[in-house]
């Protein structure tokens, strides 16, 4: 009888090969098995360390402060956009996927003027078009870009976007959610007013806390911009300055787990170490899947080592739901596609997973293809 490949996390759970939430270590989850009061000195110290460490990861200690925001990553993005863009502002949005579209929706609801520069999901954002727009439209106050567009996994040219915005004297707002902690982003080389990220992606914490790195002078000018009480970053920060505390109940367990996760990130060698493991995962995945006959959406030069989009097989024997279920039975959770340009599915390379697990995932894919009777994934139907 054939033995079936089986994989599990340190706590016996399926491995999450998704864009988040991700597989976390046992020690990160174990950090949560206590209670703390929100005014407890121990918790206040841990929170302060977390905020300081986040700024250090972006070389931003001198120039920026980390303002935490309760909620998932989108809460932090919405807090960033609605706190930084004043009523008379206008945002040039660089859009090449769902997270760019989401930023537009946030700004539309907040009744902020936007101009979107949209490119296809399998292309990086268009820096030349941004340059032309900023030259032509002096009313644009801010530029928004997503570092790694998780919709496809494409890495956007952040340095060029930042240089273009800076040359035209406009402020840059970055959604670095899926890249922060694994792809270098230094405030010394990338000029930004704000950058949003979260606890549960490349930092490998649990979900529940977003944060925004805010340029100090820019944040000071945000008073009165916010369109809601809860998502007001300037007010959240002023409260910290005055009291050292959150205005509303903090997700204490999430923050304590993030403190542990950041210690593990440092032990792995920081951004270089974490990014190195993910890059190795990504290479193993792409080479192995190509050897099985799959095609990636993106050429390697555009691929961030975060999540990989594969074209949906055309072999009539391939049924995505069966493929998904059979991988899940082997301990691997993959992710459906979110593209409009092509039918696809995604496999993530981030979270507490390494080369051995990626190789097991490829073994599981091989078994599942055999079970389904798929011999050439991209074979055209006769
Ligand atoms: C995950 C992610 C977010 C936030 O998503 P939530 O589901 O709100 O956590 C925002 N932007 C990008 C690019 C992401 O990958």
């Amino acid at each position: 009888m054939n033995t079936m490949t089986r994989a599990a996390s340190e706590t016996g759970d399926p491995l999450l090969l998704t864009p988040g939430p991700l597989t976390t270590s046992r020690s990160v989850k174990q950090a949560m098995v206590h209670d703390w009061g929100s005014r407890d000195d121990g918790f206040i110290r841990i929170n302060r360390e977390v905020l300081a460490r986040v700024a250090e990861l972006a070389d931003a200690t001198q120039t920026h402060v980390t303002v935490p925001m309760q909620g998932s990553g989108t809460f932090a993005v919405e807090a960033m956009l609605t706190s930084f863009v004043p009523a008379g502002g206008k945002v040039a949005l660089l859009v090449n996927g769902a997270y760019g579209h989401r930023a537009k929706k946030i700004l539309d609801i907040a009744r902020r003027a936007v101009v979107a520069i949209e490119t296809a999901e399998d292309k990086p954002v268009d820096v030349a078009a941004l340059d032309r727009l900023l030259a032509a439209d002096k009313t644009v106050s801010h530029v928004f870009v997503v570092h790694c567009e998780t919709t496809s996994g494409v890495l956007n040219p952040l340095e060029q976007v930042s240089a273009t915005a800076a040359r035209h004297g406009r402020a840059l707002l970055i959604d670095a959610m899926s890249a922060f902690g694994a792809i270098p982003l230094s405030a010394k080389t990338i000029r930004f007013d704000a950058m949003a990220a979260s606890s549960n992606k490349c930092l490998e914490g649990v979900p529940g806390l977003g944060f925004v790195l805010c340029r100090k002078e820019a944040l000071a000018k945000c008073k009165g911009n916010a369109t809601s009480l809860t998502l007001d970053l300037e007010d959240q920060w002023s409260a910290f300055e005055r009291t050292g505390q959150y205005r509303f109940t903090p997700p204490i367990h999430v923050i304590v787990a993030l403190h542990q996760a950041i210690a593990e990130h440092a032990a792995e060698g920081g951004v270089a170490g974490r990014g190195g493991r993910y890059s190795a995962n990504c290479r193993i995945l792409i080479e192995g899947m190509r050897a099985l006959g799959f095609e990636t959406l993106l050429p390697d030069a555009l691929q961030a080592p975060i999540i990989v989009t594969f074209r949906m097989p055309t072999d009539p024997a391939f049924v995505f739901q069966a493929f998904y279920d059979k991988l899940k039975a082997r301990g691997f959770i993959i992710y459906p596609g979110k593209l409009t340009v092509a039918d696809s599915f995604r496999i993530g390379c981030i979270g507490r997973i390494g080369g051995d697990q990626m190789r097991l995932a490829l073994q599981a894919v091989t078994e599942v293809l055999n079970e389904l009777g798929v011999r050439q994934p991209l074979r055209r139907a006769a």
Side-chain angles (χ1 to χ4, degrees):
M1 223 185 81
N2 285 340
T3 50
M4 187 168 111
T5 298
R6 279 308 224 133
S9 75
E10 290 170 13
T11 43
D13 308 299
L15 295 170
L16 302 171
L17 306 183
T18 68
L22 301 168
T23 297
T24 56
S25 67
R26 175 186 292 275
S27 38
V28 162
K29 285 174 285 243
Q30 258 163 359
M32 295 187 287
V33 298
H34 296 285
D35 300 309
W36 294 263
S38 59
R39 300 177 177 222
D40 179 317
D41 286 346
F43 167 68
I44 289 173
R45 179 187 55 79
I46 284 172
N47 183 65
R48 210 185 299 119
E49 284 177 15
V50 165
L51 303 186
R53 289 292 295 131
V54 165
E56 282 169 26
L57 289 177
D59 296 333
T61 308
Q62 304 299 316
T63 45
H64 295 69
V65 291
T66 313
V67 186
M69 182 51 67
Q70 298 96 320
S72 86
T74 304
F75 290 65
V77 173
E78 184 156 11
M80 170 173 80
L81 291 169
T82 56
S83 299
F84 275 84
V85 182
K90 183 170 176 182
V91 186
L93 292 165
L94 292 166
V95 179
N96 60 341
Y99 293 99
H101 286 291
R102 189 177 295 177
K104 178 171 187 306
K105 202 164 177 184
I106 289 168
L107 290 162
D108 285 346
I109 291 171
R111 300 180 195 284
R112 296 296 186 254
V114 300
V115 43
I117 301 174
E118 202 173 330
T119 43
E121 290 156 334
D122 55 352
K123 297 281 181 302
V125 295
D126 189 343
V127 182
L130 175 69
D131 192 31
R132 288 193 297 274
L133 174 78
L134 296 182
D137 186 346
K138 303 295 179 197
T139 66
V140 170
S141 54
H142 293 76
V143 174
F144 170 87
V145 68
V146 180
H147 192 181
C148 165
E149 225 327 332
T150 327
T151 312
S152 63
V154 66
L155 187 65
N156 279 322
L158 194 55
E159 273 115 61
Q160 294 170 44
V161 171
S162 147
T164 304
R167 184 151 30 81
H168 290 278
R170 318 299 166 84
L172 179 63
L173 308 175
I174 305 169
D175 172 353
M177 206 66 62
S178 58
F180 189 77
I183 300 178
L185 191 171
S186 167
K188 298 209 165 92
T189 53
I190 306 281
R191 190 186 158 83
F192 62 90
D193 268 16
M195 185 225 70
S198 79
S199 54
N200 67 287
K201 293 205 176 175
C202 303
L203 292 180
E204 298 185 4
V206 303
L209 188 79
F211 42 83
V212 183
L213 267 172
C214 302
R215 176 182 299 285
K216 291 173 193 169
E217 314 92 79
L219 181 63
K221 292 183 193 140
C222 290
K223 199 173 171 66
N225 285 351
T227 53
S228 79
L229 171 67
T230 49
L231 298 179
D232 186 339
L233 290 176
E234 194 280 328
D235 196 45
Q236 181 95 321
W237 181 248
S238 309
F240 271 114
E241 293 281 81
R242 283 195 310 276
T243 68
Q245 288 170 13
Y246 285 75
R247 296 170 302 162
F248 315 116
T249 303
I252 293 196
H253 297 82
V254 174
I255 294 163
V256 174
L258 181 58
H259 187 253
Q260 173 65 24
I262 288 173
E264 292 176 14
H265 182 269
E268 192 176 355
V271 175
R274 181 69 41 101
R277 173 161 57 87
Y278 291 172
S279 295
N281 287 349
C282 187
R283 268 198 309 279
I284 293 167
L285 175 68
I286 288 178
E287 281 169 18
M289 290 292 279
R290 284 183 182 153
L292 290 171
F294 289 89
E295 260 176 30
T296 58
L297 175 79
L298 299 172
D300 294 348
L302 297 181
Q303 177 70 57
I306 303 295
I307 190 163
V308 182
T309 301
F310 294 97
R311 292 187 186 278
M312 195 62 89
T314 46
D315 185 322
F318 187 92
V319 178
F320 180 72
Q321 193 60 47
F323 181 69
Y324 179 95
D325 291 341
K326 286 174 181 294
L327 285 176
K328 184 174 174 195
R330 288 163 169 82
F332 299 97
I333 308 280
I334 64 166
Y335 219 62
K338 209 179 189 177
L339 295 182
T340 52
V341 291
D343 200 12
S344 62
F345 66 90
R346 291 178 285 175
I347 301 183
C349 344
I350 57 179
R352 190 70 155 195
I353 46 171
D356 288 347
Q357 280 100 350
M358 290 323 280
R359 279 183 280 269
L360 279 178
L362 291 165
Q363 196 176 307
V365 168
T366 309
E367 287 172 16
V368 171
L369 292 180
N370 285 337
E371 270 186 28
L372 294 175
V374 176
R375 298 207 346 263
Q376 262 184 295
L378 286 149
R379 183 171 68 105
R380 302 285 149 191

